[in-house]
Amino acid sequence: MVNRDEMNMINQAEELKARTKKFAIRIIKTSRSLPRTMEGRVLGTQLLKSATSLAANYRASCRARSRAEFLAKLGIVVEEADETIFWLELLLESGLFNKEQVNGLLDEANQLLAIFAASQRTVKAKKS
């Protein structure tokens, strides 16, 4: 039987799976507005890869068979979230995206990074 704490963890994981997937979809839709130039294609591809990888790897972390596997996969999620922030900042600072296109995405990416980095620290602390 599942206790209340386990049920809360399951619910949080499902919410985060949905949230990261929704974020990836927002990135996909926003990336369609990039110019069809070489830099637009290259940076857009990098952004798409990191944002969709963030969502896919979080989903995979939820199926981890051990704490070590979970921590390793969560580390990838943190890296992909940070990389997504980098590409969004680069697109903004290079002028390929404007603030209105990026601010909400940057805010969400930073929130996701904070959540996953905190989870990573918590798991590492419990490991000791």
Side-chain angles (χ1 to χ4, degrees):
M1 184 163 179
V2 178
N3 67 35
R4 183 176 290 193
D5 289 339
E6 291 171 328
M7 191 55 127
N8 284 338
M9 286 175 47
I10 291 167
N11 287 338
Q12 287 176 340
E14 290 303 316
E15 288 173 15
L16 279 171
K17 279 196 252 183
R19 186 172 172 178
T20 57
K21 186 177 184 180
K22 182 178 177 183
F23 176 69
I25 291 168
R26 287 176 60 203
I27 292 286
I28 291 166
K29 290 179 179 180
T30 303
S31 70
R32 290 178 183 150
S33 66
L34 278 166
R36 305 244 184 260
T37 60
M38 183 178 68
E39 60 269 25
R41 283 190 301 275
V42 170
L43 296 178
T45 298
Q46 293 297 110
L47 176 63
L48 284 168
K49 286 181 177 184
S50 64
T52 55
S53 180
L54 184 164
N57 279 292
Y58 178 68
R59 186 178 178 120
S61 76
C62 291
R63 292 187 308 276
R65 294 167 296 217
S66 68
R67 182 182 296 254
E69 185 180 355
F70 176 75
L71 195 53
K73 290 184 184 295
L74 197 57
I76 296 168
V77 174
V78 169
E79 289 175 15
E80 296 296 346
D82 186 57
E83 186 177 330
T84 299
I85 292 166
F86 172 77
W87 295 120
L88 286 168
E89 289 172 348
L90 199 57
L91 285 162
L92 176 63
E93 292 171 25
S94 68
L96 291 173
F97 272 159
N98 62 45
K99 280 188 176 185
E100 291 75 34
Q101 291 171 296
V102 174
N103 278 343
L105 293 170
L106 260 175
D107 182 52
E108 179 67 358
N110 278 300
Q111 286 181 36
L112 290 169
L113 176 59
I115 290 166
F116 294 124
S119 295
Q120 191 178 37
R121 285 189 301 274
T122 300
V123 172
K124 284 180 180 178
K126 287 182 179 181
K127 187 177 177 182
S128 305

